[in-house]
Amino acid sequence: MPTGLRPSTSSSCDAAIFRPIRASLQQRRKEMPKLSPLRKAEEIASTFGFEMAIVDLERLFSKEASEDHPLLRRKLAGPSAPFPAERYAGKPLRVAYQGIPGSYCQEAAAKAFSSIRCEAFPCSHMEDAFQALEEGDANQAIVPVENSIDGTIDRNFDLLLRHQDVEIIGELVLPVNHCLLSLKGTSRSDLRRVISHPQALSHCRAKLEGFERHLEIEEVPNAAEAARYISENRITDTAVIGSRIAAKEFGLEVLEQNFQDRSENFNRFWQLGLGAQHQRRELGDAWKTTVAFSLEKGVSDLFRAMWIFESRDISVTKVDHRPNRSNPIRVKEESTGDHKYFDYVFVMDVEGSASDSSMEKALKVLEEISGFVHVLGSYTCRLKN
């Protein structure tokens, strides 16, 4: 619709005509039998076709500016909100990151905020970064959430679900660059031992086995701490697998970059903030929304939740699940006795902004089959080298 023009009177009339039709369709949806794997194919197709009819009507009669969704009104400022950096013009942005100086998370923070003044500070424990945001010690935070080889960091999913005032405002994907670090002047032939975090060692197993001489391999809880220890104690026969920023922090030499076995290795980080902070939506930005929800009928309803988005041309890109701590056990009554099984909270990534009309409608429908729906964030993703 051109700027400055309002919906015509006929559009308002069409919407008024549609309301009773939509109400009737929604009533039929509630009365329809639930889908079952045992249902005939034509019955399933009929049900899905009915759902698509509702979707098409919603698209046909949707307004240019839809009514506020109660969840989004509370949680999301929408595409016109300023990028957080602009809110702190004139003073550096304070960014909390998990780990110590020299960690991969510090490297991610440096790359995420390379174009603005930033004071990044470490948090020893995962929960500290969330608390720093809530207590005002940090404007934003960077936390790791997934590695393309090892999978998700479940602890940070749990923390995001628990700290409901904190939400995802950006995502950063970085290629992993495991570096072989040693004291300056140390050669590969001087090495007797390599130490690092177990995950980094597993990523570099073939390279270590193919080393020109036998090496002792030692696991340590923190690669950045190991790099600092080697530097401070001037250990000449030991290398650590760590980040480039660790070499810079502790004055170490990079004997070899990209020491990992596979080049297709990426880390995913979340940029976190409080609910009022959001990125400006630029033309061409690819947006993602992450939503958490429980299902009144448990895991068997997951396909219905996914269909709500897919039927509106909103692609589901990822689904995770975490134990539902508020209702951990479900009991299914059967004539043969009670059956107990675990209940879950689902965390789903879908393509698109939460302020899009189709997304708002999908979230409203999701509420109909959910115990709760909580938008964890709507944001853009950046891939950096």
Side-chain angles (χ1 to χ4, degrees):
M1 178 179 294
T3 304
L5 295 184
R6 300 288 182 185
S8 65
T9 305
S10 60
S11 296
S12 300
C13 291
D14 289 342
I17 293 169
F18 173 62
R19 287 190 194 104
I21 298 174
R22 183 167 185 249
S24 175
L25 288 171
Q26 288 178 334
Q27 182 61 34
R28 271 196 62 202
R29 174 194 282 161
K30 292 178 181 178
E31 294 171 355
M32 289 189 73
K34 304 301 181 184
L35 287 176
S36 163
L38 301 179
R39 291 270 301 279
K40 294 180 180 179
E42 58 266 26
E43 291 179 296
I44 296 175
S46 175
T47 301
F48 281 171
F50 172 75
E51 293 285 345
M52 287 302 297
I54 294 178
V55 171
D56 290 338
L57 283 169
E58 286 175 344
R59 287 175 180 156
L60 181 63
F61 291 99
S62 62
K63 298 178 184 178
E64 183 74 10
S66 60
E67 296 176 359
D68 287 340
H69 187 287
L71 283 171
L72 305 182
R73 186 167 59 246
R74 184 180 76 250
K75 293 293 294 177
L76 298 174
S80 62
F83 184 72
E86 298 174 7
R87 295 165 57 90
Y88 305 100
K91 58 182 178 180
L93 193 74
R94 287 185 56 76
V95 178
Y97 64 86
Q98 291 180 357
I100 71 164
S103 66
Y104 289 100
C105 215
Q106 184 196 13
E107 192 170 62
K111 291 189 176 184
F113 300 98
S114 58
S115 61
I116 63 173
R117 290 177 61 207
C118 169
E119 288 182 358
F121 63 91
C123 295
S124 299
H125 303 288
M126 289 185 176
E127 191 158 10
D128 293 344
F130 289 81
Q131 290 178 344
L133 283 172
E134 291 177 329
E135 295 171 4
D137 296 327
N139 307 123
Q140 293 188 31
I142 295 288
V143 299
V145 290
E146 187 174 11
N147 175 262
S148 59
I149 293 176
D150 297 313
T152 57
I153 300 174
D154 294 335
R155 175 66 172 158
N156 278 335
F157 278 78
D158 292 341
L159 287 170
L160 189 59
L161 290 169
R162 185 185 310 168
H163 295 264
Q164 296 194 5
D165 289 333
V166 176
E167 67 178 76
I168 311 164
I169 60 174
E171 183 178 86
L172 185 68
V173 176
L174 297 177
V176 170
N177 181 7
H178 288 312
C179 299
L180 191 64
L181 310 177
S182 67
L183 281 180
K184 290 183 177 178
T186 299
S187 66
R188 292 172 68 101
S189 60
D190 296 326
L191 297 179
R192 301 289 185 274
R193 183 186 304 105
V194 172
I195 60 179
S196 192
H197 187 275
Q199 185 183 59
L201 292 173
S202 70
H203 290 179
C204 305
R205 189 179 305 279
K207 285 282 185 72
L208 291 169
E209 291 175 352
F211 211 77
E212 49 264 33
R213 62 181 303 158
H214 175 72
L215 294 170
E216 293 180 29
I217 308 300
E218 184 177 339
E219 295 182 356
V220 294
N222 192 303
E225 284 281 12
R228 178 161 59 189
Y229 183 83
I230 288 173
S231 176
E232 291 176 351
N233 292 276
R234 313 302 298 169
I235 300 174
T236 58
D237 66 347
T238 302
V240 61
I241 298 173
S243 66
R244 279 187 61 85
I245 206 165
K248 182 178 179 181
E249 283 282 338
F250 307 121
L252 298 177
E253 183 175 355
V254 179
L255 290 179
E256 185 175 340
Q257 288 196 70
N258 293 308
F259 194 65
Q260 65 273 7
D261 301 331
R262 299 177 58 178
S263 59
E264 302 84 4
N265 191 345
F266 295 86
N267 283 331
R268 177 184 172 211
F269 298 87
W270 277 337
Q271 180 182 340
L272 303 178
L274 296 181
Q277 301 179 14
H278 296 280
Q279 295 173 320
R280 175 182 288 123
R281 187 171 187 178
E282 302 291 349
L283 185 64
D285 277 346
W287 278 65
K288 178 190 291 187
T289 295
T290 298
V291 57
F293 56 93
S294 64
L295 293 170
E296 291 181 350
K297 295 193 175 181
V299 178
S300 62
D301 258 359
L302 180 57
F303 87 98
R304 292 183 65 199
M306 297 176 68
W307 177 250
I308 288 168
F309 294 94
E310 291 286 352
S311 64
R312 290 168 171 79
D313 294 327
I314 301 172
S315 295
V316 177
T317 59
K318 193 173 191 296
V319 181
D320 290 284
H321 66 277
R322 301 297 302 141
N324 187 351
R325 295 183 177 184
S326 63
N327 183 33
I329 298 290
R330 283 181 176 267
V331 178
K332 184 177 181 180
E333 299 290 344
E334 298 285 354
S335 58
T336 56
D338 294 344
H339 294 271
K340 297 182 179 180
Y341 52 96
F342 282 102
D343 192 22
Y344 298 96
V345 172
F346 297 95
V347 180
M348 185 184 291
D349 289 347
V350 293
E351 291 183 353
S353 170
S355 61
D356 292 342
S357 175
S358 58
M359 186 75 76
E360 289 183 355
K361 289 182 172 64
L363 290 170
K364 287 179 180 178
V365 176
L366 181 62
E367 285 185 299
E368 296 176 8
I369 64 169
S370 301
F372 79 93
V373 176
H374 179 58
V375 177
L376 299 179
S378 194
Y379 51 92
T380 59
C381 175
R382 289 172 289 165
L383 176 63
K384 290 200 171 187
N385 295 319

